[in-house]
């Protein structure tokens, strides 16, 4: 039987001294797509084939070259799922090294640790070897390095290597082409030529991947456009070099009217001319349509996309709602436009601004300058300045009214919560015989919804049908966004369903808004359902979508799910930004793992993403929630050392940390520091101090804070009285508690479930069951629905089995029609 009887055992050697499962793993590697690596004098190149099993697969979702650290990358051949496990373990090992030594892990050490993981899976029961081989490329103090790691755990440093199904031909080609003094660009060309040797079909930037690292020690994956550039260079070099294509073959391929290159020097490849087949010099492209890119290549561009003149992109394409720039190009301000922008930002008097604008010439160029300034102001959210410019254009200048100007003005009034003004601008647009666009209706919808005018919002759809405009995704998105801002989430969900019913395909922005909506309502399961529906409809999530979903799980404290989505974000090819890292930190913070949040904070810095003020606030909150107030203060001080000014929220989070520790002196110091820095404590701050003094039994100071709130500019809200009722009730001051409860009506405040529960809890401690039942009935009569906390204190007031049975019966009666609905 030979070695076959040992082929199912990983930990048993065959009589010939082999571990047959490892040979099977190498067979899996040999059947994988070809990958190769080349170490040049000034860097390293790794490349691989990326053939998809079907044209229906989204090519952007397949990534074979991965980043391990900023200066190390890896490519695999074999089983993709196995490589993901090794990549994740390698990244964690690199991060542990960085946290310990505060520097990047050396390439050799990371290779050794990865190889140790692969070797461990060759001598353990119940597992199998990894079905992949890795090529790891890096650049550290030892220079450029290339390593290959095999399933057995063995690893070697290579000058050039290949693996996969075409390994023998690839290695033979590399042996002929490789030289020690090869430069990085030459190595890329050689890698492409090696892949072409055994490539089936047409090679392009979409079916191969190339990663490079040079002397800057920053590993990066080339974009498809960059790969196509290299492919073009390779093709041109083969045309120029006689060792690849003889001259007669080149001439034979040139048919009538086909352009070919005629070289005056084959060695230096200089002095080339462009000819066609009849011998005449081919006409060159217009000189002003060409430019040299960063790699020295001659490229052409379209004037239409850069023009700021009448008929250019700004006039031809129009300003799009929600963008702030046109054709992916931010407004390019001329010197005149820059002076106008600086002036209107300094002046807010309409007479002064309009008098100054009266002096400028009324030309097409000035018109484009004014619109560019308005779009720039919109990006800066300076709505008053937009109103000044657009009203001058419409009411005072000699310019002909334009729908773009009306749209900007409607948007400005909508953002200022002035829907009546926005509506009047729309009516003026109709009177001026301008045709409304879908942007016009989208902006009008958002203005109405944000102010709660939902009937008028519905009328917009009727108006659109009147003009024969279909309700597009832009309009529906504006409607949903306005409803969310107007805090009408139920209506937003209804409009989302109507959008699908009307066969209007939701966009990425639509799904992202719905994920955010459910996330803020602590319905992370519904956010996930929307995300899955999005992917089933072949709508590609963007980084904002992933961040919204991470935030949804963060609010519910599901840090494991948040981390899964974070990994999906990376696998989709997105580079996590500060918002994504902050969302993941928030997940660990709310789950009660402050040091987990600290690891994410460290990882963010390690990956070159600078933390912002929100990042430090999250860390203060994470340590404060865990009672680590000293660590919270250390982060707060680091925030100030970084040159960032602490906001009201920053102080509040630190105040909460020391409040939980019962340190009244430190809390008073923080409040004083807020006042010195120009921040006026708000109701939330004073409520926190009330709660602190109450928990410490300092009722005198608590009364002083309450008096200050009543005498000063601070309005006591229902949370203020909830704190007072709870504290006085817990201390047994029932008369004072009832007095405060009775004064709510005179303060125009309505008791909520916390108010009633605190009141019942006071009598529950004294086992006054009948009194608790009376308050409970009063609560139900006022239309306030009890929660779990209410039922808990009501049960705590029972002193006999009969009373417990009565309360249980009441609870069952109230909840008998309530059904638990889980998302499918």
């Amino acid at each position: 039987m030979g070695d076959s009887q040992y082929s199912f055992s990983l930990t048993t050697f065959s009589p010939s001294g082999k571990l047959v499962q490892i040979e099977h793993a190498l067979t899996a590697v040999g059947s994988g797509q070809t990958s190769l690596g080349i170490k040049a004098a000034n860097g390293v190149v790794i490349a691989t084939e990326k053939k998809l099993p079907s044209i229906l697969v989204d090519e952007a979702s397949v990534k074979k070259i991965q980043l391990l650290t900023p200066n190390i990358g890896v490519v695999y051949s074999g089983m993709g799922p196995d490589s993901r496990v090794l990549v994740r373990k390698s990244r964690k090992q690199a991060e542990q090294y960085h946290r310990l030594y505060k520097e990047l892990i050396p390439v050799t050490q990371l290779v050794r640790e990865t190889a140790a993981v692969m070797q461990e899976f060759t001598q353990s029961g119940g597992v199998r070897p990894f079905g992949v081989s890795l090529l790891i490329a890096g650049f550290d103090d030892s220079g450029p390095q290339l390593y290959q790691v095999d399933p057995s755990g063995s690893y070697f440093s290579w000058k050039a290597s290949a693996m996969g199904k075409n390994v023998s031909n690839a290695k033979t080609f590399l042996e002929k082409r490789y030289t020690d003094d090869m430069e990085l660009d030459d190595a890329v060309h050689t890698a492409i030529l090696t892949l072409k040797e055994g490539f089936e079909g047409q090679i392009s930037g979409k079916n191969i991947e190339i990663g490079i690292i040079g002397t800057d020690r920053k590993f990066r994956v080339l974009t498809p456009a960059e790969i196509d550039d290299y492919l073009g260079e390779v093709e041109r070099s083969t045309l120029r070099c006689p060792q690849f294509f003889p001259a007669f073959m080149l001439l034979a391929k040139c048919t009538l009217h086909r352009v070919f290159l005629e070289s005056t020097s084959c060695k230096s490849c200089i002095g080339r001319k462009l000819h066609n087949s009849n011998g005449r010099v081919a006409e060159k492209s217009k000189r002003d349509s060409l430019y040299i890119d960063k790699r020295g290549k001659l490229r052409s561009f379209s004037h239409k996309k850069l023009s700021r003149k009448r008929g250019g992109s700004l006039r031809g394409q129009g300003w799009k709602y929600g963008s702030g720039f046109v054709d992916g190009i931010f407004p390019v301000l001329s010197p005149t436009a820059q002076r106008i922008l600086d002036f209107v930002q300094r002046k807010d008097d309409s007479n002064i601004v309009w008098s100054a604008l009266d002096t400028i010439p009324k030309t097409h160029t000035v018109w484009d300058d004014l619109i560019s300034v308005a779009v720039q102001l919109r990006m800066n959210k300076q709505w008053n300045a937009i109103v000044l410019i657009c009203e001058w254009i419409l009411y005072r200048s000699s310019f002909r009214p334009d729908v773009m100007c009306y749209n900007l003005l409607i948007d400005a009034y909508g953002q200022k919560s002035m829907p009546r003004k926005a509506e009047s601008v729309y009516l003026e647009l109709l009177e001026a015989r301008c045709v409304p666009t879908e942007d016009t209706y989208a902006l009008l919808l958002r203005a109405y919804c944000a102010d709660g005018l939902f009937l008028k919002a519905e009328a917009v759809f009727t108006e659109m049908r009147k003009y024969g405009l279909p309700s597009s995704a832009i309009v529906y998105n504006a409607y949903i966004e306005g409803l969310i801002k107007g805090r009408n989430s139920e209506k937003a969900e209804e409009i989302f369903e109507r959008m699908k019913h009307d066969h209007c395909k939701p966009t990425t922005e639509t799904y992202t808004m719905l994920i955010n909506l459910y996330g803020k309502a602590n319905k992370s399961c519904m956010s996930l359902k929307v995300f899955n529906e999005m992917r089933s409809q072949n709508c590609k999530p963007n980084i904002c979508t992933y961040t919204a979903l991470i935030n949804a799980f963060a609010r519910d404290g599901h840090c494991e799910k948040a981390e899964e989505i974070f990994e999906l974000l990376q696998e989709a090819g997105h580079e996590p930004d500060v918002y994504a890292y902050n969302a993941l930190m928030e997940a660990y913070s709310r789950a009660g793992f402050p040091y987990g949040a600290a690891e994410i904070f460290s990882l963010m810095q390690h990956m070159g993403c600078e933390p912002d003020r929100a990042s430090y606030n999250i860390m203060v909150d994470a340590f404060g929630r865990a009672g680590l107030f000293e660590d919270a203060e250390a982060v707060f001080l680091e925030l100030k050392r970084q040159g960032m000014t602490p906001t009201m929220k920053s102080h509040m989070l630190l105040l909460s940390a020391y409040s939980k520790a019962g340190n009244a002196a430190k809390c008073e110091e923080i409040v004083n520091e807020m006042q010195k820095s120009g921040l006026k404590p708000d109701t939330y701050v004073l409520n926190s101090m009330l709660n602190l003094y109450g928990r410490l039994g300092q009722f005198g100071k608590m009364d002083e804070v309450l008096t200050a709130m009543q005498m000063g500019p601070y309005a006591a809200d229902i949370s203020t009285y909830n704190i007072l009722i709870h504290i006085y009730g817990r201390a047994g001051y029932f008369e004072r508690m009832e007095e405060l409860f009775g004064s709510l009506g005179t303060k125009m405040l309505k008791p909520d479930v916390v108010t009633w529960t605190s009141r019942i809890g006071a009598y529950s401690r004294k086992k006054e069951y009948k009194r608790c039942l009376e308050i409970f009935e009063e609560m139900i009569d006022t239309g306030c629905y009890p929660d779990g906390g209410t039922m808990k204190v009501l049960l705590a007031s029972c002193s006999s089995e009969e009373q417990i049975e009565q309360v249980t019966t009441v609870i069952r009666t109230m909840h008998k029609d309530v059904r638990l609905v889980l998302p499918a």
Side-chain angles (χ1 to χ4, degrees), residues 331-404:
V332 180
L333 299 182
S334 67
T336 302
Q338 188 63 52
R339 286 195 295 271
I340 295 173
L341 177 64
D342 294 340
F343 181 77
V344 297
Q345 285 178 327
R346 293 195 310 269
K347 305 292 184 181
D348 55 2
D349 189 329
S350 60
N351 293 325
I352 297 175
V353 173
W354 288 7
S355 298
L357 293 176
D358 287 338
T359 62
I360 61 177
K362 311 303 184 291
T363 63
H364 296 320
T365 303
V366 171
W367 164 266
D368 289 337
D369 286 339
L370 289 170
I371 297 299
S372 294
V373 168
V375 173
Q376 183 67 49
L377 291 169
R378 185 185 182 278
M379 291 164 56
N380 298 339
K381 298 183 179 180
Q382 294 174 296
W383 313 115
N384 290 330
I386 294 175
V387 170
L388 287 177
I389 289 180
C390 292
E391 286 187 342
W392 178 83
I393 293 174
L394 295 175
Y395 307 138
R396 188 154 169 167
S397 74
S398 59
F399 286 115
R400 184 179 176 182
D402 186 279
V403 66
M404 190 191 313

Side-chain angles (χ1 to χ4, degrees), residues 318-328 330-331 375 378-379 411 439:
W319 166 77
K320 284 292 183 183
Y321 149 71
S323 61
F325 53 91
V326 183
D327 295 341
F330 284 87
V375 173
R378 185 185 182 278
M379 291 164 56
D411 183 33
D439 295 337

Side-chain angles (χ1 to χ4, degrees), residues 28-49:
V29 173
S31 62
Q33 295 177 349
T34 306
S35 301
L36 60 94
I38 303 173
K39 183 173 71 171
N42 59 338
V44 187
V45 177
I46 53 176
T48 182
E49 296 179 1

Side-chain angles (χ1 to χ4, degrees), residues 304-572:
K304 281 281 186 180
K305 288 194 175 183
L306 296 179
S307 174
R308 292 294 146 194
K309 296 181 180 180
R310 191 176 183 87
S313 69
L314 194 58
R315 295 288 295 175
Q317 298 293 332
W319 166 77
K320 284 292 183 183
Y321 149 71
S323 61
F325 53 91
V326 183
D327 295 341
I329 303 172
F330 284 87
V332 180
L333 299 182
S334 67
T336 302
Q338 188 63 52
R339 286 195 295 271
I340 295 173
L341 177 64
D342 294 340
F343 181 77
V344 297
Q345 285 178 327
R346 293 195 310 269
K347 305 292 184 181
D348 55 2
D349 189 329
S350 60
N351 293 325
I352 297 175
V353 173
W354 288 7
S355 298
L357 293 176
D358 287 338
T359 62
I360 61 177
K362 311 303 184 291
T363 63
H364 296 320
T365 303
V366 171
W367 164 266
D368 289 337
D369 286 339
L370 289 170
I371 297 299
S372 294
V373 168
V375 173
Q376 183 67 49
L377 291 169
R378 185 185 182 278
M379 291 164 56
N380 298 339
K381 298 183 179 180
Q382 294 174 296
W383 313 115
N384 290 330
I386 294 175
V387 170
L388 287 177
I389 289 180
C390 292
E391 286 187 342
W392 178 83
I393 293 174
L394 295 175
Y395 307 138
R396 188 154 169 167
S397 74
S398 59
F399 286 115
R400 184 179 176 182
D402 186 279
V403 66
M404 190 191 313
C405 188
Y406 285 111
N407 286 352
L408 284 165
L409 194 54
I410 291 172
D411 183 33
Y413 280 130
Q415 295 288 351
K416 293 175 65 178
S417 300
M418 301 171 69
R420 307 291 181 190
K421 284 277 192 180
E423 183 179 355
S424 66
V425 173
Y426 170 72
L427 295 175
E428 290 171 10
L429 179 150
L430 298 179
E431 291 175 2
R433 298 183 180 276
C434 285
V435 180
T437 64
E438 62 179 12
D439 295 337
T440 311
Y441 292 111
L443 295 166
L444 196 59
L445 264 172
R446 194 177 66 175
Y448 283 142
C449 293
D451 211 55
L453 303 174
F454 304 121
L455 291 177
K456 291 204 170 189
E458 285 292 334
V460 171
F461 282 93
T462 306
E463 189 78 8
M464 290 184 68
R465 284 193 291 270
K466 175 182 174 183
Y467 285 95
L469 286 172
S471 300
S472 65
I474 291 177
V475 178
Y476 275 110
N477 287 351
Y479 199 176
I480 293 171
E481 182 185 358
L483 290 169
I484 292 173
K485 287 187 176 181
R487 300 181 183 277
N488 193 335
S489 56
E490 292 183 3
K491 185 69 175 177
E493 296 174 38
E494 179 187 326
I495 297 303
F496 177 65
E497 294 300 326
R498 187 205 295 183
M499 181 181 186
K500 294 188 289 185
H501 183 266
D502 291 345
H503 305 290
C504 180
K505 186 176 181 180
T507 63
T508 300
E509 182 185 357
T510 317
Y511 285 113
T512 302
M513 286 192 293
L514 264 293
I515 291 171
N516 254 325
L517 174 66
Y518 288 122
K520 290 179 180 178
N522 294 104
K523 298 179 181 178
S524 56
C525 57
M526 290 300 297
S527 293
L528 183 59
K529 181 181 178 182
V530 172
F531 180 76
N532 291 333
E533 177 187 330
M534 176 184 187
R535 294 204 290 182
S536 69
Q537 296 298 320
N538 295 324
C539 184
K540 189 175 180 180
N542 58 21
I543 190 169
C544 297
T545 313
Y546 287 106
T547 304
L549 189 55
I550 295 171
N551 265 319
F553 286 118
R555 288 186 178 93
D556 288 343
H558 299 324
C559 55
E560 292 182 358
K561 293 294 293 183
E563 188 170 356
E564 286 179 19
I565 303 302
F566 188 84
E567 290 179 357
L568 281 179
L569 179 152
Q570 294 175 302
E571 290 173 4

